[in-house]
Amino acid sequence: MSSAWSLSLEELELANTKPAAQRLGFAIQLKVYGLHRRFFETVREIPVETIEVIAAVLGRPITDALGYEWEGRTGRRHREEILKLSNTQPMSLGDRDMLRQQLLGPVGVQSTSAVMEHAETWCREHGFRPPAKRDLDRLVRSLRRDFEAGLLDKMTEALSPEAVEKLEASLLNTDGVCGFDDLKADPGRAGLENLVRMAGRLTFIRSLGLSVASLSGVDSAYLETLRRRVSQESAWDMRRRPRSRRLGLYALFLADREKGITDALVDLLIETVHKMHKKAQRKVMGRMTRDLTRVHHKDRMLFKIAKAALANPDGKVRDVVFAVASQERLEAVVAEYEEGGTYHEQVQKALRASYGGHYRRLLPHMLDALEFRCNNVQAHPVLTALNWLKGALNEEPMRRVIRSGDGLPIDGIVPAKWRDLIVETTATGWRVDRIDYEVCVLLALRDRLRCKEIWVVGADRYRNPDDDVPKDFETRRSQYYQELAQPANASDFVDKIKADLAAALGRLNIALPRQSLVRLRTTGEKRISLTPLEPLSEPTNLVALKAEIDKRWTGTGLLDVLKETALRTGMLRSFTTSGDRVILSEEDLHKRLLLSLYALGTNAGLRRVCSGHDGVSYSELLHVERRFLSREGLRDANALVTNAILAQRLPSIWGESTASCASDSKKFGAWDQNLMTEWHMRYGGRGVMIYWHVERKSTCIHSQLKRCSSSEVAAMIEGVLRHCTDAEVKSQFVDSHGQSEVAFAFCHMLGFELAPRLKGISRQRLYLPDLAYKDTLGSLSPILTRAIDWDLISQQYDEIVKYTAALRHRTAEPEALLRRFTRANVQHPTYRALAELGKAVKTIFLCRYLAEEPYRREINAGLNVVENWNSANGFIYFGKGGEISSNRMEDQELSVLALQLLQNSLVYVNTLMLQKVLQDPAWSRRMTEADWRGLSPLIYQHVNPYGQFELDLEQRIDFDRRLAA
């Protein structure tokens, strides 16, 4: 970039003819127009590095750029002079028509910024002076409105008369038709009623026969804006629109909504079957616990019987057994067993009763609404059973028993533990009760759907797993290998890993005898003894530094922190309307945006926030939240603030930037009438998980709202790949829940190091590159195990690269793709190859982890930063007891992203405050090495998150106030 912005001799001579204070501003405008054929409207659009390069050439301070009259008379005069010197000419009306025709093609398939860049390029190539940015933006938006009208007309024309009638009835909430609000609603919590309701919504949408041919090639971000517009409107608002726009928008929304409802229906099916199974297990466990007291001391009695029988094996039962246990007590034990049976038998009976008496109603709705497919032989028995059950739904009378002659499979359907309980052998084969068979089919279907061995037609997350990998992998194989920086030859890849593994084991074998904190045991399961690290010296001046911050900026309001960050970074430009136009002034819009962000990020709520501000009502804040706040906008705003923090940091205070990041999850309480909220097994209570990615100096680069049972490995990979900031991640620190063997494999393929703090470090084993190495690693012999299966990795190397490319190019979400590679799908050859590769990479990591104490300290310090970030969540997210008080999953995600934005804004402002103090030589000399090491911008004792409280002892509550007549 520096070479592009450097001045030529002619440009330098021309700039030197200007007054000294105006040279920098003139030179910047000259270079900007020479490169872009347009002028920047404000100095904020110009990168700081650019100003520094030109200022260095001119020998002027960069502060001249701030004093230059960019929008004043001097700036306009200089722009006119530059235009005269150039060979460009202003555009005539005919030229503008030509430009308009040139933009008709890309306006619907590219983003607004891309279309404007295309227009500037066309003008530059044809020697025209591009229109002002404001005029060009107006032109593009006008073309987009025309394109939108044509798109909606096409959607409306493609609707059949029956579909139009159903859509109009839906907007009127006519009885017997899915209403507009119902089709927008989330599925709710797992249960039979919600499953039936979602199946009805999916059937309604499919009955419309919506065509999406006209949407192919249209800019996805633009389509998302149209969908968001519909999702935030009421049925009354939709009915007010002209017919073509009303029906076109509604059809476009439902065409996309079909995939979401299909995924939600599959989620409901999986969770409902899981809930049905768990309830049966809990019921049996409770019954068995109560039965322990029916025959007292059964275990002691059985012990006495066994001891007496062994002592006198040839004696009579009456003389030996009845002597220690009476006949009546043994009869009670027999009766208890016959009443219940074994644990598996009782669970099967309870599950059958629950399904037959209540949950069986889900079967016809599920089979009618969902179309299942599979790509491997192992899942074919489940698909065969589903097809037969679907065909037998309308049998009269309904068959109650399934026989071997019906051609239905038993293997792959009925679990081995239930085979003797429900399968009855007959003279002609076998027979099984139909209800028992249906229960087994649903349980098998649940397991196959989870690992995507069975997929659903029309779904997104549960789509064909072959669609998760890049379609052009076969034709662009070499490019994908180059992007991942991996060799094209599998043997070269294996040889490199094998050599690294041998070298790592050799280094650890040499270093281990000198390690005082690491010892190996020769017996038992826990063979690695790792002494905890000793605490480092305490920082002595950080308390005084925090006191200085509090003294200078006492009681800084959290809303003021957000406002200052917005003004300095311009993050509010990330929030664009989903409507047709914006009527509000920029000042009013920004004020309401800040209040809405504060209400969401603190969980105080819009009503509480607007009650403390005159001139802003709840309905006005609600309008801004619905029209302007979106997940994409909040992620863009977070990225802007994060990049601003990284740019503002002074290396003399914070040190050189590192390429390491830590991630961990935090549980938040949440309402439970939705599919996102679950009971957390470790922390207890219902809630959701927020997975944070925080770099070493307390800046969050990515956040995700996850279910408590979701994969932290997938969340870790997604955060590294999707953070969209200037931070570079080369090392990722996680705890035990964020790692797995498959995770080690994918992280290695993606080019960054996974470094977990393992809770079960004592049970870890090291894998060998070859069995011949075992004799050369005498110090490590207690923790050595088998050799890596390199042949399996070589055979599946191409598939490993294909799935890694899918992660990098976002053809599939990490969680959807990793669902294939779980313990439930151990037969998948690529899974087994990934596990082998992960074992090798994990062994390399363990060798370094055990050999290097500074490395262990680095990992521990990184994870402590995430813990500190989690501790600040409660300070900012104080409203409603820190519970996410919404059942809409979109609202939940908005709250999480707003919390991240507020907390990052706090880090941004604190960074500026700390730098202001520490640039004082007195404070800089006072800081010790321990102080610099412990310095963190995530402090908040000087911040007031609640607002101002004004107390007037003279003002009283008027209890006699009456309403005006």
Side-chain angles (χ1 to χ4, degrees), residues 165-166 168-180 182 204:
E165 183 179 354
K166 288 182 179 180
E168 296 286 15
S170 176
L171 290 173
L172 292 171
N173 291 313
T174 305
D175 291 340
V177 178
C178 286
F180 179 71
D182 291 332
F204 171 77

Side-chain angles (χ1 to χ4, degrees), residues 512-550:
L512 191 62
R514 298 192 294 268
Q515 286 287 323
S516 60
L517 301 181
V518 182
R519 298 184 303 278
L520 300 185
R521 302 185 182 96
T522 57
T523 60
E525 183 183 356
K526 299 180 179 180
R527 298 194 176 186
I528 301 177
S529 175
L530 191 61
T531 304
L533 298 171
E534 293 185 3
L536 297 175
S537 57
E538 288 285 340
T540 57
N541 295 302
L542 291 188
V543 174
L545 179 61
K546 292 178 182 179
E548 180 67 18
I549 296 291
D550 193 14

Side-chain angles (χ1 to χ4, degrees), residues 3 23 73 147 149 263 313 444 505 530 547 665 723 735 749 769 837:
S3 59
R23 290 173 188 169
R73 185 167 52 189
F147 175 81
D263 284 333
L505 289 168
L530 191 61
S665 60
H723 62 83
D735 61 9
M749 297 298 296
L837 176 60

Side-chain angles (χ1 to χ4, degrees), residues 256-481:
D256 175 72
R257 184 68 176 141
E258 181 178 351
K259 288 185 178 181
I261 290 181
T262 304
D263 284 333
L265 183 56
V266 178
D267 285 332
L268 282 172
L269 174 62
I270 293 174
E271 293 302 318
T272 302
V273 174
H274 178 75
K275 176 182 176 181
M276 178 178 66
H277 193 195
K278 286 299 180 182
K279 283 178 67 176
Q281 290 178 331
R282 286 195 298 267
K283 182 178 180 180
V284 171
M285 288 299 297
R287 182 192 303 157
M288 295 183 71
T289 303
R290 292 191 300 271
D291 287 345
L292 288 174
T293 61
R294 291 180 56 182
V295 181
H296 295 287
H297 307 300
K298 277 189 299 188
D299 53 347
R300 183 172 180 80
M301 181 185 67
L302 294 174
F303 164 73
K304 289 180 178 181
I305 292 174
K307 186 175 182 182
L310 291 173
N312 188 6
D314 298 327
K316 294 181 179 181
V317 172
R318 185 175 300 278
D319 297 335
V320 177
V321 177
F322 287 176
V324 295
S326 65
Q327 183 175 353
E328 291 77 12
R329 294 194 70 191
L330 291 177
E331 289 174 351
V333 172
V334 172
E336 179 181 317
Y337 178 81
E338 289 179 345
E339 180 181 336
T342 64
Y343 170 75
H344 293 307
E345 186 176 353
Q346 292 186 57
V347 170
Q348 191 274 329
K349 289 179 180 178
L351 192 55
R352 184 189 191 283
S354 176
Y355 174 75
H358 179 67
Y359 287 102
R360 198 180 187 191
R361 286 188 292 144
L362 69 82
L363 189 64
H365 295 281
M366 180 265 293
L367 293 176
D368 286 341
L370 299 178
E371 186 177 354
F372 300 99
R373 294 284 186 274
C374 68
N375 297 341
N376 58 60
V377 177
Q378 294 179 354
H380 271 295
V382 181
L383 210 61
T384 301
L386 288 171
N387 291 333
W388 186 90
L389 291 174
K390 184 175 182 179
L393 283 177
N394 299 321
E395 282 186 350
E396 291 293 343
M398 181 175 290
R399 192 181 315 183
R400 296 189 177 185
V401 176
I402 297 175
R403 303 179 187 277
S404 54
D406 295 324
L408 290 180
I410 290 295
D411 295 334
I413 300 292
V414 179
K417 60 188 177 183
W418 290 352
R419 187 75 59 88
D420 296 335
L421 299 176
I422 65 175
V423 180
E424 179 183 352
T425 303
T426 65
T428 58
W430 53 262
R431 53 179 287 175
V432 62
D433 184 86
R434 178 168 175 172
I435 293 180
D436 291 333
Y437 192 79
E438 289 176 0
V439 170
C440 294
V441 170
L442 289 176
L443 292 176
L445 176 62
R446 175 198 62 181
D447 295 336
R448 300 296 185 181
L449 284 171
R450 281 176 169 175
C451 62
K452 298 190 74 171
E453 285 191 350
I454 290 181
W455 51 276
V456 181
V457 176
D460 183 24
R461 288 184 288 110
Y462 295 97
R463 65 186 175 187
N464 187 348
D466 292 342
D467 294 337
D468 292 341
V469 296
K471 299 288 188 183
D472 57 350
F473 184 80
E474 297 300 328
T475 57
R476 297 184 62 246
R477 176 181 276 102
S478 58
Q479 289 92 325
Y480 284 115
Y481 276 88

Side-chain angles (χ1 to χ4, degrees), residues 894-911:
L894 291 179
S895 296
V896 170
L897 292 171
L899 168 60
Q900 179 191 353
L901 184 61
L902 256 69
Q903 204 153 321
N904 271 342
S905 297
L906 179 62
V907 171
Y908 176 78
V909 170
N910 284 343
T911 298

